[in-house]
Amino acid sequence: AQSVTQLDSQVPVFEEAPVELRCNYSSSVSVYLFWYVQYPNQGLQLLLKYLSGSTLVKGINGFEAEFNKSQTSFHLRKPSVHISDTAEYFCAVLRAGGFKTIFGAGTRLFVKA
Amino acid sequence: DTEVTQTPKHLVMGMTNKKSLKCEQHMGHRAMYWYKQKAKKPPELMFVYSYEKLSINESVPSRFSPECPNSSLLNLHLHALQPEDSALYLCASSQVGIPTGRDNEQFFGPGTRLTVL
């Protein structure tokens, strides 16, 4: 079975500072990895995904993530955050050939002026 | 068309009402999913339809009744819900059905926010 651990439930950061949201996963088989953002009272928006190939994945809104197979991590980074990045961020894993996307508990990013 | 659409965006219903949520995709995907997301929690899988047949039911109460009339449309019929069923209901689709191949990335719709009074 797969599992996802988001190591921080909340991350407060000042505007224009860099941020890293941490995600570790557990799986004995090949997986796809995703980061989603959810703004208050809205649905999920895909930020980026790792399916195969280059381990550094670039997404929307200036976010990027690096797949590290040896450390089973998929941390999300942004070099300079904006107030508008305040949202809930979910890391998710889907077994290649599976049917259930498993989500982490979420990390609340709070950007302060 | 590369998106999953869901209607309505918001729904308020009483415990004795019968209502339905609708999900549509025109990407030719052969698997469709319902997820439920309670407030401040991650989404959790409810049902999977593959090639228009129910393949997975994650022990969901019978007051939730899914239906897949055709390969593009997925409904979730609601009856005698409880206030604790209030949540965001997300629909998703993926290219291949079950058993899946590697092209099983799921594409999510915007969700229907359900409030049960």
Side-chain angles (χ1 to χ4, degrees), chain A residues 30 32 34 36 38 40-44 46 49 51-52 90 94-106, chain B residues 33 35 37 40-43 45 48 56 58 88 90 98-111 113:
Chain A
S30 295
Y32 302 143
F34 305 86
Y36 293 90
Q38 188 169 41
N41 297 314
Q42 295 196 22
L44 293 176
L46 180 66
K49 60 189 177 187
L51 304 182
S52 65
F90 290 100
L94 173 64
R95 177 174 62 85
F99 59 84
K100 182 191 290 191
T101 298
I102 307 293
F103 291 84
Chain B
Y33 310 76
Y35 283 79
Q37 185 183 19
K40 300 189 186 303
K41 296 290 186 185
L45 183 67
V48 181
I56 304 290
E58 294 280 285
L88 180 69
L90 294 161
I98 292 174
T100 71
R102 294 189 67 85
D103 293 326
N104 61 324
E105 177 190 352
Q106 294 175 8
F107 296 81
F108 284 86
R113 190 162 297 281

Side-chain angles (χ1 to χ4, degrees), chain B residues 40-85:
Chain B
K40 300 189 186 303
K41 296 290 186 185
E44 293 182 335
L45 183 67
M46 300 173 73
F47 301 105
V48 181
Y49 268 82
S50 176
Y51 300 101
E52 299 152 53
K53 289 185 168 47
L54 182 63
S55 295
I56 304 290
N57 177 339
E58 294 280 285
S59 303
V60 179
S62 60
R63 58 185 184 269
F64 295 92
S65 176
E67 178 199 20
C68 190
N70 59 59
S71 60
S72 300
L73 188 57
L74 184 66
N75 298 320
L76 186 62
H77 302 299
L78 314 171
H79 175 53
L81 293 196
Q82 304 296 310
E84 58 264 29
D85 296 320

Side-chain angles (χ1 to χ4, degrees), chain A residues 8 13 31-33 40 53 59 62-63 77 83 89 100 105 109 113:
Chain A
D8 307 291
V13 64
V31 294
Y32 302 143
L33 295 158
F63 284 93
R77 301 185 183 97
I83 298 285
Y89 291 78
K100 182 191 290 191
L109 175 63

